[in-house]
Amino acid sequence: MNKPIRIAVTGAAGQIGYSLLFRLASGEVFGKDTPVILHLIELPQAIQAAEGVAMELHDCAFESLHAVEIFDNPTAGFEGVHWALLVGSSPRRAGMLRKELISINAPIFVDQGKALLKADTSIRCVVVGNPCNTNALIALSHAQDIPSSRFYAMTALDETRAKYQLADKAGCSVKDVRKLAIWGNHSNTMVPDYENTLINGKPLREMIQDETWLNKTFMSTVQERGAQIIQARGKSSAASAASACIHHLKAATAITPADDVFSAAVLSDNNPYDIASGLVFSFPLQFDHAGNHSIYPGLAHSSALKDKIRHTEQDLLNEREVVKDFLTS
Ligand code: NAD
Ligand code: LMR
């Protein structure tokens, strides 16, 4: 048996928590020989619901699930954890933009950033709660003893959404679509980069020549998918968001193949694409054997895509301005 891994999930009794926890417990990410200890963190009023989730986790009799612990505060809940998955926060409702959640959710990430100081020294943190890029910026600014390279905001869902759309259009499998970067903010300004995507190892345009579909239909489908799901379901995406979080953990714990990238938002300081520093911006990443990431360099863009990338950068600069009082200087 390997050493146990402690994983904290905030918002454990929420929609995403209800999908995510069972997949973490199943051994799917860290392997059946790695015991998992889950820290379920919830607001005091949702502890009873978290207890119900814990009962169901036990009832699955997952071999790799070593223990489930429940906490009503992040300080105790983050103690000794190796991964912190920051999901707990309000989701948007129909008609709202994700950025409208800033004033409701930002304070959560101040407290949680501070509480992460109790985590294991190897801690890595994935922010899912929206607006996730700016919430991650708040959390990392308050977790001052933790290297900022350990913080990610999740854009894996945008990547898998984009992959499905391209595979469907090209009539291939999603596994044939590689090097698909998501740039910028997890908002309706994000840029799914079809210009650098490979299909079956060849430039995407050898398979898809329909420019109007690419720069209008595809782009807006990916950018607006979250809103479309809220419209259809009456609730924001949950199982697909949990699945994307599992994807993130798998990608961050494996060496990225040389001909592929994985998208996540990271602190933009010293990036090779001339994006303003001090933002949590989604880039194409590659992970090494130690779980450290680097930004994949040298991707070129048309002037139309460059303009879109500037637009999503401006979106994040605006969000940062709104939360400036929540950031440490
Ligand atoms: P939900 O309302 O079903 O669950 C949220 C849970 O968080 C609730 O149980 C609530 O009690 C808990 N919570 C709230 N504040 C908390 C705090 N301070 N500490 C601990 N727990 C807290 O919401 P959901 O559908 O699970 O979505 C959660 C978040 O994830 C939302 O902000 C949503 O917009 C976001 N989201 C992000 C992505 C992405 O791709 N980045 C995708 C889907 C949803
Ligand atoms: C999503 O992309 O589905 C989530 O960020 C939820 C939302 O508000 O769109």
Coordinates of all heavy atoms in Angstrom, one line a residue, residues 15-93:
Q15 N -24.0 20.0 -5.3 CA -24.1 19.2 -6.5 C -22.8 18.6 -7.0 O -22.8 17.4 -7.4 CB -24.6 20.1 -7.7 CG -25.9 20.8 -7.7 CD -26.1 21.1 -9.2 OE1 -26.6 20.3 -9.9 NE2 -25.6 22.3 -9.6
I16 N -21.8 19.4 -7.2 CA -20.5 18.9 -7.7 C -19.9 17.9 -6.7 O -19.4 16.9 -7.1 CB -19.6 20.1 -8.1 CG1 -20.2 21.0 -9.1 CG2 -18.2 19.5 -8.5 CD1 -19.4 22.2 -9.5
G17 N -20.0 18.3 -5.5 CA -19.4 17.4 -4.4 C -20.0 16.0 -4.5 O -19.3 15.0 -4.4
Y18 N -21.3 16.0 -4.8 CA -22.0 14.7 -4.8 C -21.5 13.8 -6.0 O -21.6 12.6 -5.9 CB -23.5 14.9 -5.0 CG -24.3 13.7 -4.6 CD1 -24.3 13.2 -3.3 CD2 -25.1 13.1 -5.6 CE1 -25.0 12.0 -3.0 CE2 -25.9 12.0 -5.3 CZ -25.8 11.4 -4.0 OH -26.6 10.3 -3.7
S19 N -21.0 14.4 -7.0 CA -20.4 13.5 -8.1 C -18.9 13.3 -7.9 O -18.4 12.2 -8.1 CB -20.5 14.2 -9.5 OG -21.8 14.1 -9.9
L20 N -18.2 14.3 -7.4 CA -16.8 14.3 -7.3 C -16.2 13.3 -6.2 O -15.3 12.6 -6.5 CB -16.3 15.8 -7.0 CG -14.8 16.1 -6.8 CD1 -14.1 15.7 -8.0 CD2 -14.6 17.6 -6.5
L21 N -16.9 13.4 -5.1 CA -16.4 12.6 -3.9 C -16.3 11.1 -4.3 O -15.4 10.4 -3.9 CB -17.2 12.8 -2.7 CG -17.0 14.2 -2.1 CD1 -18.2 14.6 -1.2 CD2 -15.7 14.3 -1.3
F22 N -17.3 10.6 -5.0 CA -17.4 9.1 -5.2 C -16.3 8.7 -6.2 O -15.7 7.7 -6.1 CB -18.8 8.8 -5.7 CG -19.8 9.0 -4.7 CD1 -20.4 10.2 -4.4 CD2 -20.1 7.9 -3.8 CE1 -21.3 10.4 -3.4 CE2 -21.1 8.1 -2.8 CZ -21.6 9.4 -2.5
R23 N -16.0 9.6 -7.1 CA -14.9 9.3 -8.1 C -13.5 9.4 -7.4 O -12.6 8.6 -7.7 CB -15.0 10.2 -9.3 CG -16.3 9.8 -10.1 CD -16.4 10.5 -11.4 NE -15.4 10.2 -12.4 CZ -15.3 10.8 -13.6 NH1 -16.2 11.6 -14.0 NH2 -14.3 10.4 -14.4
L24 N -13.4 10.3 -6.5 CA -12.1 10.4 -5.7 C -11.9 9.1 -4.9 O -10.8 8.6 -4.7 CB -12.1 11.6 -4.8 CG -12.1 13.0 -5.5 CD1 -12.3 14.1 -4.5 CD2 -10.7 13.2 -6.2
A25 N -13.1 8.7 -4.3 CA -13.0 7.5 -3.4 C -12.8 6.2 -4.1 O -12.2 5.3 -3.5 CB -14.3 7.4 -2.6
S26 N -13.1 6.2 -5.4 CA -13.1 4.9 -6.1 C -11.7 4.4 -6.5 O -11.5 3.3 -6.9 CB -13.9 5.1 -7.4 OG -13.1 5.9 -8.3
G27 N -10.7 5.3 -6.3 CA -9.3 4.9 -6.7 C -9.0 5.2 -8.2 O -7.9 5.0 -8.6
E28 N -9.9 5.9 -8.8 CA -9.8 6.2 -10.2 C -8.6 7.2 -10.5 O -7.9 7.1 -11.5 CB -11.1 6.9 -10.7 CG -11.1 7.4 -12.1 CD -12.3 8.1 -12.6 OE1 -13.3 8.1 -11.8 OE2 -12.3 8.7 -13.7
V29 N -8.3 8.1 -9.5 CA -7.2 9.0 -9.8 C -5.9 8.6 -9.3 O -4.9 8.6 -10.0 CB -7.6 10.4 -9.1 CG1 -6.4 11.4 -9.4 CG2 -8.9 10.9 -9.6
F30 N -5.8 8.1 -8.1 CA -4.5 7.8 -7.4 C -4.2 6.3 -7.4 O -3.2 5.9 -7.0 CB -4.5 8.4 -6.0 CG -4.7 9.9 -6.0 CD1 -5.9 10.5 -5.7 CD2 -3.6 10.7 -6.4 CE1 -6.0 11.9 -5.7 CE2 -3.8 12.1 -6.5 CZ -5.0 12.7 -6.1
G31 N -5.1 5.5 -7.9 CA -4.9 4.1 -8.0 C -5.5 3.4 -6.8 O -5.6 3.9 -5.7
K32 N -5.9 2.1 -7.0 CA -6.5 1.4 -5.9 C -5.6 1.1 -4.7 O -6.0 0.8 -3.6 CB -7.1 0.1 -6.5 CG -8.2 0.3 -7.5 CD -9.2 -0.8 -7.4 CE -10.3 -0.7 -8.4 NZ -10.9 0.5 -8.7
D33 N -4.3 1.2 -5.0 CA -3.3 0.9 -3.9 C -2.9 2.2 -3.1 O -2.0 2.1 -2.2 CB -2.0 0.3 -4.4 CG -2.2 -1.1 -5.0 OD1 -3.2 -1.7 -4.5 OD2 -1.5 -1.5 -5.8
T34 N -3.6 3.3 -3.4 CA -3.3 4.5 -2.6 C -4.6 4.8 -1.8 O -5.6 5.2 -2.3 CB -3.0 5.7 -3.6 OG1 -1.9 5.3 -4.4 CG2 -2.7 6.9 -2.8
P35 N -4.4 4.7 -0.4 CA -5.6 5.0 0.4 C -5.9 6.5 0.3 O -5.0 7.3 0.3 CB -5.1 4.6 1.8 CG -3.8 3.8 1.6 CD -3.3 4.2 0.3
V36 N -7.2 6.7 0.2 CA -7.7 8.1 0.1 C -8.4 8.5 1.4 O -9.2 7.7 1.9 CB -8.6 8.3 -1.1 CG1 -9.4 9.6 -1.0 CG2 -7.8 8.3 -2.4
I37 N -8.0 9.6 2.0 CA -8.8 10.1 3.2 C -9.5 11.4 2.7 O -8.8 12.4 2.3 CB -7.8 10.4 4.4 CG1 -7.1 9.1 4.7 CG2 -8.6 11.0 5.6 CD1 -6.0 9.2 5.8
L38 N -10.8 11.4 2.7 CA -11.5 12.6 2.3 C -11.9 13.5 3.4 O -12.4 13.0 4.5 CB -12.8 12.1 1.6 CG -12.6 11.4 0.2 CD1 -14.0 10.8 -0.3 CD2 -12.0 12.2 -0.8
H39 N -11.6 14.8 3.2 CA -12.0 15.8 4.2 C -13.2 16.5 3.6 O -13.1 17.2 2.6 CB -10.9 16.8 4.4 CG -9.8 16.3 5.2 ND1 -9.0 17.1 6.1 CD2 -9.3 15.0 5.3 CE1 -8.1 16.3 6.6 NE2 -8.2 15.1 6.2
L40 N -14.4 16.3 4.1 CA -15.6 17.0 3.6 C -15.8 18.3 4.4 O -16.0 18.2 5.6 CB -16.8 16.0 3.8 CG -17.1 15.0 2.7 CD1 -15.9 14.1 2.4 CD2 -18.3 14.1 3.2
I41 N -15.7 19.4 3.7 CA -15.8 20.7 4.3 C -17.1 21.3 3.9 O -17.4 21.5 2.7 CB -14.6 21.6 4.0 CG1 -13.3 20.8 4.4 CG2 -14.7 22.9 4.8 CD1 -12.1 21.6 4.1
E42 N -17.9 21.8 4.8 CA -19.2 22.4 4.5 C -19.5 23.5 5.5 O -18.9 23.7 6.5 CB -20.4 21.3 4.6 CG -20.8 20.8 3.2 CD -21.4 21.9 2.3 OE1 -21.7 23.0 2.8 OE2 -21.6 21.7 1.2
L43 N -20.5 24.3 5.1 CA -21.1 25.3 6.1 C -21.8 24.5 7.2 O -22.3 23.4 7.0 CB -22.1 26.2 5.3 CG -21.5 27.1 4.2 CD1 -22.6 27.8 3.5 CD2 -20.5 28.0 4.8
P44 N -21.8 25.1 8.4 CA -22.5 24.4 9.5 C -23.9 23.9 9.2 O -24.3 22.8 9.5 CB -22.5 25.4 10.6 CG -21.4 26.3 10.3 CD -21.2 26.4 8.8
Q45 N -24.7 24.7 8.4 CA -26.1 24.3 8.1 C -26.1 23.2 7.1 O -27.2 22.6 6.9 CB -26.9 25.5 7.6 CG -26.4 26.2 6.3 CD -25.4 27.3 6.6 OE1 -24.7 27.3 7.6 NE2 -25.4 28.3 5.7
A46 N -25.0 22.8 6.5 CA -25.0 21.7 5.5 C -24.3 20.5 6.0 O -24.1 19.5 5.3 CB -24.4 22.1 4.2
I47 N -23.9 20.5 7.3 CA -23.2 19.4 7.9 C -24.0 18.1 7.9 O -23.5 17.0 7.6 CB -22.6 19.7 9.3 CG1 -21.5 20.7 9.2 CG2 -22.2 18.5 10.1 CD1 -20.2 20.2 8.4
Q48 N -25.3 18.3 8.2 CA -26.2 17.1 8.2 C -26.2 16.4 6.8 O -26.1 15.2 6.7 CB -27.6 17.4 8.7 CG -28.4 16.2 9.0 CD -29.8 16.6 9.4 OE1 -30.1 17.8 9.8 NE2 -30.7 15.7 9.3
A49 N -26.3 17.2 5.8 CA -26.3 16.7 4.4 C -24.9 16.0 4.1 O -24.9 14.9 3.5 CB -26.6 17.8 3.4
A50 N -23.8 16.6 4.6 CA -22.5 16.0 4.4 C -22.4 14.7 5.1 O -21.8 13.7 4.6 CB -21.4 17.0 4.9
E51 N -23.1 14.6 6.2 CA -23.1 13.3 7.0 C -23.8 12.2 6.1 O -23.3 11.0 6.1 CB -23.7 13.4 8.3 CG -22.8 14.1 9.3 CD -23.5 14.6 10.6 OE1 -24.7 14.4 10.7 OE2 -22.8 15.1 11.5
G52 N -24.8 12.6 5.4 CA -25.5 11.7 4.5 C -24.6 11.2 3.4 O -24.6 10.0 3.0
V53 N -23.9 12.2 2.8 CA -22.9 11.8 1.7 C -21.9 10.9 2.3 O -21.5 9.9 1.6 CB -22.3 13.1 1.2 CG1 -21.2 12.8 0.1 CG2 -23.3 14.1 0.6
A54 N -21.4 11.1 3.5 CA -20.4 10.2 4.1 C -20.9 8.8 4.2 O -20.2 7.8 4.0 CB -19.9 10.8 5.4
M55 N -22.2 8.7 4.7 CA -22.8 7.4 4.8 C -22.8 6.7 3.4 O -22.5 5.5 3.3 CB -24.3 7.5 5.3 CG -24.4 7.9 6.7 SD -26.2 7.9 7.1 CE -26.4 9.3 8.1
E56 N -23.2 7.4 2.4 CA -23.2 6.8 1.1 C -21.8 6.4 0.6 O -21.6 5.3 -0.1 CB -23.8 7.7 0.0 CG -25.3 7.9 0.2 CD -25.9 8.4 -1.1 OE1 -26.0 7.6 -2.1 OE2 -26.4 9.5 -1.2
L57 N -20.8 7.2 0.9 CA -19.4 6.8 0.6 C -19.0 5.5 1.2 O -18.5 4.6 0.6 CB -18.5 8.0 1.0 CG -18.5 9.2 0.0 CD1 -17.8 10.4 0.7 CD2 -17.7 8.9 -1.3
H58 N -19.4 5.4 2.5 CA -19.1 4.1 3.2 C -19.8 3.0 2.6 O -19.3 1.9 2.4 CB -19.4 4.2 4.7 CG -18.6 5.2 5.5 ND1 -17.2 5.1 5.4 CD2 -18.8 6.2 6.3 CE1 -16.7 6.1 6.2 NE2 -17.6 6.7 6.7
D59 N -21.1 3.2 2.2 CA -21.9 2.1 1.6 C -21.4 1.6 0.3 O -21.7 0.5 -0.1 CB -23.4 2.6 1.5 CG -24.0 2.9 2.8 OD1 -23.5 2.5 3.8 OD2 -25.1 3.5 2.8
C60 N -20.5 2.4 -0.4 CA -20.0 1.9 -1.6 C -18.8 0.9 -1.4 O -18.4 0.2 -2.3 CB -19.4 3.1 -2.4 SG -20.7 4.2 -3.0
A61 N -18.3 0.9 -0.2 CA -17.3 -0.1 0.2 C -16.1 0.0 -0.8 O -15.6 -1.0 -1.3 CB -17.8 -1.5 0.3
F62 N -15.7 1.2 -1.1 CA -14.5 1.4 -2.0 C -13.3 0.9 -1.3 O -13.0 1.4 -0.2 CB -14.3 2.9 -2.4 CG -15.4 3.4 -3.3 CD1 -16.2 4.5 -2.9 CD2 -15.6 2.9 -4.6 CE1 -17.1 5.1 -3.8 CE2 -16.5 3.5 -5.4 CZ -17.3 4.5 -5.0
E63 N -12.5 0.0 -1.9 CA -11.3 -0.5 -1.3 C -10.3 0.6 -1.0 O -9.6 0.5 0.0 CB -10.6 -1.5 -2.2 CG -11.3 -2.8 -2.3 CD -10.7 -3.7 -3.3 OE1 -9.5 -3.7 -3.6 OE2 -11.5 -4.5 -3.9
S64 N -10.2 1.6 -1.8 CA -9.2 2.7 -1.6 C -9.7 3.8 -0.6 O -8.9 4.6 -0.3 CB -8.8 3.3 -2.9 OG -10.0 3.6 -3.6
L65 N -10.9 3.8 -0.2 CA -11.4 4.8 0.7 C -11.0 4.4 2.1 O -11.6 3.5 2.7 CB -12.9 5.0 0.6 CG -13.4 6.2 1.4 CD1 -12.8 7.5 1.1 CD2 -14.9 6.3 1.3
H66 N -10.1 5.1 2.7 CA -9.5 4.8 4.0 C -10.4 5.5 5.1 O -10.6 4.9 6.1 CB -8.1 5.4 4.0 CG -7.3 4.8 5.2 ND1 -6.8 3.6 5.2 CD2 -6.8 5.5 6.3 CE1 -6.1 3.4 6.3 NE2 -6.1 4.5 7.0
A67 N -10.8 6.7 4.9 CA -11.6 7.4 5.9 C -12.3 8.6 5.3 O -11.9 9.1 4.3 CB -10.7 7.9 7.1
V68 N -13.4 9.0 6.0 CA -14.1 10.2 5.6 C -14.2 11.1 6.9 O -14.7 10.6 7.9 CB -15.5 9.9 5.1 CG1 -16.2 11.2 4.6 CG2 -15.5 8.9 3.9
E69 N -13.7 12.3 6.8 CA -13.8 13.2 8.0 C -14.6 14.4 7.6 O -14.5 14.9 6.4 CB -12.4 13.5 8.4 CG -11.6 12.3 8.9 CD -10.2 12.5 9.2 OE1 -9.7 13.7 9.3 OE2 -9.4 11.5 9.3
I70 N -15.4 14.9 8.5 CA -16.3 16.0 8.2 C -16.0 17.3 9.0 O -15.7 17.1 10.2 CB -17.8 15.6 8.4 CG1 -18.1 14.4 7.5 CG2 -18.8 16.8 8.1 CD1 -19.5 13.9 7.7
F71 N -15.9 18.4 8.3 CA -15.5 19.6 9.0 C -16.5 20.8 8.7 O -16.9 20.9 7.6 CB -14.1 20.1 8.6 CG -13.1 19.0 8.8 CD1 -12.8 18.0 7.8 CD2 -12.3 19.0 10.0 CE1 -11.9 17.1 8.0 CE2 -11.4 18.0 10.2 CZ -11.1 17.0 9.2
D72 N -16.7 21.6 9.7 CA -17.5 22.8 9.4 C -16.7 24.1 9.3 O -17.2 25.2 9.4 CB -18.7 22.9 10.5 CG -18.1 23.3 11.8 OD1 -16.9 23.5 12.0 OD2 -18.9 23.4 12.8
N73 N -15.4 23.9 9.2 CA -14.6 25.1 8.9 C -13.3 24.7 8.2 O -12.8 23.6 8.4 CB -14.3 25.8 10.3 CG -13.3 25.0 11.1 OD1 -12.1 25.1 11.0 ND2 -13.8 24.1 12.0
P74 N -12.7 25.6 7.4 CA -11.6 25.3 6.6 C -10.3 25.1 7.4 O -9.4 24.3 7.0 CB -11.5 26.4 5.6 CG -12.2 27.6 6.2 CD -13.2 27.0 7.1
T75 N -10.2 25.8 8.5 CA -8.9 25.7 9.2 C -8.6 24.3 9.7 O -7.6 23.7 9.5 CB -8.9 26.7 10.5 OG1 -9.3 27.9 10.0 CG2 -7.6 26.8 11.1
A76 N -9.7 23.7 10.3 CA -9.5 22.2 10.7 C -9.5 21.4 9.5 O -8.8 20.4 9.3 CB -10.6 21.9 11.7
G77 N -10.4 21.7 8.5 CA -10.6 20.8 7.3 C -9.4 20.7 6.4 O -9.2 19.7 5.7
F78 N -8.5 21.8 6.4 CA -7.3 21.7 5.5 C -6.1 21.1 6.2 O -5.1 21.0 5.5 CB -7.0 23.1 5.0 CG -8.0 23.7 4.0 CD1 -8.1 25.1 3.8 CD2 -8.7 22.8 3.2 CE1 -9.0 25.6 2.9 CE2 -9.6 23.3 2.2 CZ -9.8 24.7 2.1
E79 N -6.2 20.8 7.5 CA -5.0 20.4 8.2 C -4.5 19.1 7.5 O -5.2 18.1 7.4 CB -5.3 20.2 9.7 CG -4.0 20.1 10.4 CD -4.2 20.3 11.9 OE1 -5.3 20.8 12.4 OE2 -3.3 20.0 12.6
G80 N -3.2 19.2 7.1 CA -2.5 18.0 6.6 C -3.0 17.5 5.2 O -2.5 16.4 4.7
V81 N -3.8 18.3 4.5 CA -4.3 17.8 3.2 C -3.2 18.0 2.1 O -2.4 18.9 2.1 CB -5.6 18.4 2.7 CG1 -6.7 18.0 3.8 CG2 -5.6 19.8 2.5
H82 N -3.2 17.1 1.1 CA -2.3 17.1 0.0 C -2.9 17.9 -1.2 O -2.2 18.5 -2.0 CB -1.9 15.7 -0.4 CG -1.3 14.9 0.7 ND1 -2.0 14.1 1.5 CD2 0.0 14.9 1.2 CE1 -1.2 13.5 2.4 NE2 0.0 14.1 2.2
W83 N -4.2 17.7 -1.3 CA -5.0 18.4 -2.4 C -6.2 19.1 -1.7 O -6.8 18.6 -0.8 CB -5.6 17.4 -3.4 CG -4.6 16.9 -4.3 CD1 -3.8 15.7 -4.2 CD2 -4.2 17.5 -5.6 NE1 -3.0 15.6 -5.3 CE2 -3.2 16.6 -6.2 CE3 -4.5 18.6 -6.3 CZ2 -2.6 16.9 -7.4 CZ3 -3.9 18.9 -7.5 CH2 -3.0 18.1 -8.0
A84 N -6.4 20.4 -2.2 CA -7.6 21.1 -1.7 C -8.4 21.5 -3.0 O -7.9 22.2 -3.8 CB -7.2 22.4 -1.0
L85 N -9.6 20.9 -3.0 CA -10.5 21.2 -4.2 C -11.6 22.2 -3.7 O -12.5 21.8 -2.9 CB -11.1 19.9 -4.7 CG -10.1 18.8 -4.9 CD1 -10.7 17.5 -5.4 CD2 -9.0 19.2 -5.9
L86 N -11.4 23.4 -4.1 CA -12.3 24.5 -3.6 C -13.5 24.7 -4.5 O -13.5 25.5 -5.4 CB -11.5 25.8 -3.5 CG -10.2 25.7 -2.7 CD1 -9.6 27.1 -2.4 CD2 -10.3 24.9 -1.4
V87 N -14.5 24.0 -4.1 CA -15.8 24.0 -4.9 C -16.8 24.8 -4.2 O -17.6 25.5 -4.9 CB -16.3 22.5 -5.0 CG1 -17.6 22.5 -5.8 CG2 -15.2 21.6 -5.7
G88 N -16.9 24.8 -2.9 CA -18.0 25.4 -2.1 C -18.1 26.9 -2.4 O -17.2 27.7 -2.1
S89 N -19.2 27.3 -2.9 CA -19.5 28.7 -3.2 C -20.9 28.7 -3.9 O -21.4 27.6 -4.2 CB -18.5 29.3 -4.1 OG -18.3 28.4 -5.2
S90 N -21.5 29.9 -4.1 CA -22.8 29.9 -4.8 C -22.6 29.8 -6.3 O -21.7 30.4 -6.9 CB -23.4 31.3 -4.5 OG -23.9 31.4 -3.2
P91 N -23.4 29.0 -6.9 CA -23.5 28.9 -8.4 C -24.3 30.0 -8.9 O -25.2 30.6 -8.2 CB -24.1 27.5 -8.6 CG -24.9 27.2 -7.4 CD -24.4 28.0 -6.3
R92 N -24.2 30.4 -10.2 CA -25.1 31.4 -10.8 C -26.4 30.8 -11.2 O -26.5 29.6 -11.3 CB -24.4 32.1 -12.0 CG -24.1 31.2 -13.2 CD -23.6 32.0 -14.3 NE -23.0 31.1 -15.3 CZ -22.9 31.4 -16.6 NH1 -23.3 32.6 -17.0 NH2 -22.4 30.5 -17.5
R93 N -27.4 31.7 -11.3 CA -28.7 31.2 -11.8 C -28.9 31.7 -13.2 O -28.1 32.5 -13.7 CB -29.8 31.8 -10.9 CG -29.7 31.2 -9.4 CD -30.8 31.8 -8.6 NE -30.8 33.3 -8.5 CZ -30.0 34.0 -7.8 NH1 -29.1 33.4 -6.9 NH2 -30.0 35.3 -7.8

